[in-house]
Amino acid sequence: MALFVLSLLMLSSFSTISYTHADSGMIGVNYGRIANNLPAPEKVVELLKSQGINRVKLYDTDKSVLTALANSGIKVVVSLPNENLAAASADQSYTDNWVQENVKKYTPATDIEAIAVGNEVFVDPRNTTTYLVQAMKNVQSSLVKFNLDESIKVSSPIALSALANSYPPSSGSFKPDLIEPVIKPMLDLLRKTSSHIMVNAYPFFAYAANADKISLDYALFKENAGNVDSGNGLKYNNLLDAQIDAVFAAMAAVGFNDVKLVVTETGWPSAGDENEIGAGSANAAAYNGGLVKRVLTGNGTPLKPKEPLNVYLFALFNENQKTGPTSERNYGLFYPNENKVYDVPFSAKSTPVNDGKDKVPVKTPSSRVGGQTWCVANGRTTKEKLQEGLDYACGEGGADCRPIQKGATCYDPESLEAHASYAFNSYYQKNARGVGTCDFGGAAYVVSQPPNTWTMSTGNASFQQGTEMGMEEEDPAD
């Protein structure tokens, strides 16, 4: 799907989470604007922040949008459109000026972390493929010139149509005519710059075209019998994993097994034409909800189990001016009036803590703890992610962190997890336990058990906390 990432509560950066190992992946959302009824960028930023969304991918470098995102805490992927590729490829001074005017001017206030050079260029009817790699190299050189190359990565989203074979995943291969002129030099650049290949992957398209052969449950992350790859014996429980591994296999086949991958677009339409099999709000909710849970509970694909999935959902809004079938205008998570199209739990509520961890007191605010749910730090995540989440909750998030300051009533035990749990839960309760307000980049999750059963690692110390630590029970219906 041409043209057009909730971290959702993913408090990490493209240059860290997306470029290093982590217990769980990250989720972002694509913010497309092919519509005449969308909220002003300032309102969109408010919406993103209210939902805990801190990672966005754009399709251009619109001044009003980049300005609105300044000092928001939201990390941004910007794009150099396909129509600019010829100029970007032909003239280094063009990319110097483009980077200066569209990137450097807005940093660091606007946290730009990557540039997508073109989008699905191989299927662009304007035949821009021959310009892609040189345009990417020129943009990279411009970033180096302005000392931005360490903080901002360069890549280009490709569609799965770049593959000649994708089933079984182990037989994944690129189209022969693309390999030498563009695939290999592009992957070589990504390897040298420690960037990811960007991939747009839509199980919806594969299912709609092969509904007689592909199980809907398999496409929607629901319980299913799975499929075993006849080439390597690996079992796949969902179609997206299979599509991703086909790309990994294709890269390995041309000698680039070490290049990492980020899914820059994936989603499911909430409405479609009669012949668009599977389109509908229930399936869209199942797909995106299953995907969020799949990403945030960690683990990579069967072929790359230690590589977390990093995904940008498509898309933030329904876009009423997009052309094509009805589905094209109905991928949004939100209507233009900012109401949700359907409800997606943007947190891994079932994320388990490690077995054998010691118990620590997780102190919670004395109010807004009803509803029988609390937000707790994830003992499996990294200290960096816990600290980043803690900083956000106590800073921009507006959590009441005074009780965990040194000398205050809830400072002890002096544990990053205990302090993070307090801050995360304060933020969660402050935001009325809303969907998506307890995740913090995989550093937190919702529990329904009372706090005295919360279990996390804090070295050799072992503590317990019950209602005597300031917990006040409220009516569960509150």
Side-chain angles (χ1 to χ4, degrees), residues 19 41 44 50 111 133 186 212 224 299 309-310 337 373 384 390 411 429 454:
Y19 290 89
V44 173
S50 74
D111 191 355
V133 175
M186 180 177 70
D212 57 331
N224 64 90
N299 301 321
L309 291 181
N310 298 313
N337 64 6
T373 58
E384 291 76 14
L390 175 62
Y411 179 75
Q429 308 301 337
W454 292 350

Side-chain angles (χ1 to χ4, degrees), residues 105-168:
K105 179 189 290 186
Y106 298 98
T107 60
T110 301
D111 191 355
I112 299 173
E113 57 181 352
I115 300 172
V117 178
N119 186 62
E120 298 187 352
V121 173
F122 306 152
V123 293
D124 185 352
R126 289 164 289 195
N127 298 318
T128 51
T129 297
T130 57
Y131 306 124
L132 177 61
V133 175
Q134 190 57 49
M136 292 174 67
K137 289 180 178 179
N138 285 351
V139 171
Q140 176 66 25
S141 296
S142 297
L143 291 175
V144 172
K145 179 177 181 178
F146 295 114
N147 296 315
L148 295 171
D149 56 302
E150 291 298 321
S151 59
I152 301 177
K153 299 298 181 179
V154 172
S155 188
S156 181
I158 66 171
L160 284 182
S161 58
L163 300 182
N165 296 300
S166 61
Y167 182 82

Side-chain angles (χ1 to χ4, degrees), residues 194-214:
S194 300
S195 187
H196 285 38
I197 187 171
M198 294 177 167
V199 177
N200 296 344
Y202 287 89
F204 167 71
F205 293 141
Y207 171 76
N210 302 278
D212 57 331
K213 300 181 180 68
I214 298 176

Side-chain angles (χ1 to χ4, degrees), residues 263-321:
V263 177
T264 36
E265 286 185 24
T266 190
W268 198 282
S270 60
D273 297 322
E274 288 187 8
N275 64 340
E276 294 188 285
I277 302 172
S281 59
N283 287 345
Y287 179 80
N288 285 315
L291 174 61
V292 169
K293 182 178 179 181
R294 160 90 188 80
V295 169
L296 299 187
T297 51
N299 301 321
T301 62
L303 193 60
K304 299 272 189 175
K306 294 183 179 180
E307 297 287 346
L309 291 181
N310 298 313
V311 173
Y312 286 78
L313 299 180
F314 183 87
L316 185 58
F317 293 111
N318 282 342
E319 298 172 77
N320 67 348
Q321 292 185 314

Side-chain angles (χ1 to χ4, degrees), residues 313-334:
L313 299 180
F314 183 87
L316 185 58
F317 293 111
N318 282 342
E319 298 172 77
N320 67 348
Q321 292 185 314
K322 295 195 75 172
T323 59
T326 298
S327 61
E328 286 293 311
R329 294 174 289 282
N330 289 279
Y331 275 89
L333 300 168
F334 294 89

Side-chain angles (χ1 to χ4, degrees), residues 166-197:
S166 61
Y167 182 82
S170 60
S171 69
S173 62
F174 290 109
K175 290 180 176 177
D177 61 311
L178 294 175
I179 292 175
E180 294 300 330
V182 61
I183 294 295
K184 282 187 175 181
M186 180 177 70
L187 291 174
D188 183 60
L189 177 63
L190 298 181
R191 172 189 279 168
K192 288 177 179 177
T193 57
S194 300
S195 187
H196 285 38
I197 187 171

